[in-house]
Amino acid sequence: MTETRSSTAKASRIAVRAGVVTPGSRALPEEVPVALSFGGTTQAVMMATPSDLEDFGIGFALTEAVIGAAADVASLDIVEVDQGYDVQMQLVDDKQSALSARRRKMAGPVGCGLCGIESIDEALRSLPDRDEVRLEMSAVDVAESVRSLSMHQKLRAETGAVHAAGFYQPGKGMVCVREDVGRHNALDKLIGAMARSGLKASDGAIVITSRVSVDMVQKAVIAGTGLLIAVSAPTALAVRTAEAAGLTLVGLARGVDFEIFTRTSRITFGVASDVA
């Protein structure tokens, strides 16, 4: 297992504040190519923050339907290559055979979540039905989840330039957070971390700092949650997809204000749960 480089680097800069010019430096987030490989063949190359790469590999494999559980990855190694890293995963035999049958190449920058998709059917894939998820959250819990995510964003506090995804459980608070320069990467890292630690997505809500595009809904539904909360707005397709999949979609969650777009019954307006 290769140790990855720091997630930040110092850059010289001239700061101008209220007309006052001050030389100095600022911490910036690192961004490197990260290859995600299965059975010796690269499936994707993403520009990502070089931290929590084991989580990234597992989360990507789950949300791309390469595997069905973390245990389907027989081994995982982080190998430093050129200017980045290769997350090399060996799958159990049946999963590797299935992947070989549908092998396709994809490569994308951090702003793209569907790069390499070869057909409309792949982009608008069928999703599991999460209508059976019975978790409810109070309106105060929704506000607390966003506030808590912000408090746990250590890399953003240092650099001001990354996205985050967190898992919030009523009664427990924010139990897991991952950050990355890419919003899709942050969510994949979170989903991978949850799978590796045995957290059940149906026991809480996934909270993200970005807009909600359809691929973010797809990833959340595949993870197994019934609630996705975002600080920004969703696209119309994201709303339609969430509704069809039985996902409660909350957007524009800022302070105590938010908007519920789908499956509103999971949000209650009584007393908030106790947060440890």
Side-chain angles (χ1 to χ4, degrees), residues 170-202:
K172 294 184 178 180
M174 190 62 67
V175 297
C176 187
V177 174
R178 291 293 183 268
E179 295 181 274
D180 196 276
V181 290
R183 59 196 176 96
H184 309 97
N185 300 343
L187 183 50
D188 276 343
K189 285 181 178 181
L190 174 70
I191 291 169
M194 290 168 60
R196 295 177 70 211
S197 61
L199 289 169
K200 290 181 60 178
S202 57

Side-chain angles (χ1 to χ4, degrees), residues 21-254:
V21 178
T22 307
S25 64
R26 167 175 283 278
L28 300 177
E30 279 287 6
E31 182 181 21
V32 302
V34 177
L36 298 153
S37 302
F38 301 92
T41 301
T42 297
Q43 182 81 1
V45 179
M46 307 296 288
M47 298 304 297
T49 302
S51 61
D52 303 307
L53 295 185
E54 296 92 342
D55 295 335
F56 189 23
I58 297 296
F60 175 88
L62 285 167
T63 60
E64 285 296 309
V66 174
I67 61 175
D72 291 334
V73 176
S75 66
L76 188 153
D77 293 294
I78 309 297
V79 179
E80 189 166 9
V81 290
D82 299 326
Q83 300 181 56
Y85 297 91
D86 190 352
V87 183
Q88 298 182 353
M89 290 168 276
Q90 298 294 327
L91 306 180
V92 295
D93 290 344
D94 61 328
K95 295 299 181 182
Q96 186 60 55
S97 297
L99 177 61
S100 297
R102 55 163 266 201
R103 178 74 67 181
R104 59 180 172 82
K105 293 182 179 179
M106 57 181 286
V110 297
C112 179
L114 295 174
C115 297
I117 294 293
E118 294 179 341
S119 71
I120 291 175
D121 287 341
E122 284 184 280
L124 303 179
R125 53 185 162 168
S126 297
L127 295 173
D129 185 356
R130 298 306 178 199
D131 190 56
E132 78 285 354
V133 176
R134 299 304 176 203
L135 178 74
E136 293 183 348
M137 282 181 58
S138 73
V140 176
D141 268 325
V142 172
E144 173 60 22
S145 71
V146 176
R147 186 192 72 84
S148 182
L149 179 60
S150 179
M151 292 179 62
H152 282 79
Q153 289 181 249
K154 296 179 180 179
L155 189 56
R156 188 200 65 173
E158 188 176 358
T159 68
V162 295
H163 284 293
F167 183 61
Y168 181 90
Q169 288 184 270
K172 294 184 178 180
M174 190 62 67
V175 297
C176 187
V177 174
R178 291 293 183 268
E179 295 181 274
D180 196 276
V181 290
R183 59 196 176 96
H184 309 97
N185 300 343
L187 183 50
D188 276 343
K189 285 181 178 181
L190 174 70
I191 291 169
M194 290 168 60
R196 295 177 70 211
S197 61
L199 289 169
K200 290 181 60 178
S202 57
D203 290 339
I206 288 178
V207 189
I208 59 176
T209 59
S210 66
R211 72 183 186 278
V212 189
S213 51
V214 66
D215 50 308
M216 302 295 273
V217 168
Q218 291 169 337
K219 290 176 184 292
V221 171
I222 290 170
T225 187
L227 294 99
L228 177 61
I229 301 169
V231 301
S232 192
T235 66
L237 180 56
V239 171
R240 293 194 295 269
T241 303
E243 177 63 34
L247 178 75
T248 297
L249 178 55
V250 176
L252 299 162
R254 301 168 186 179

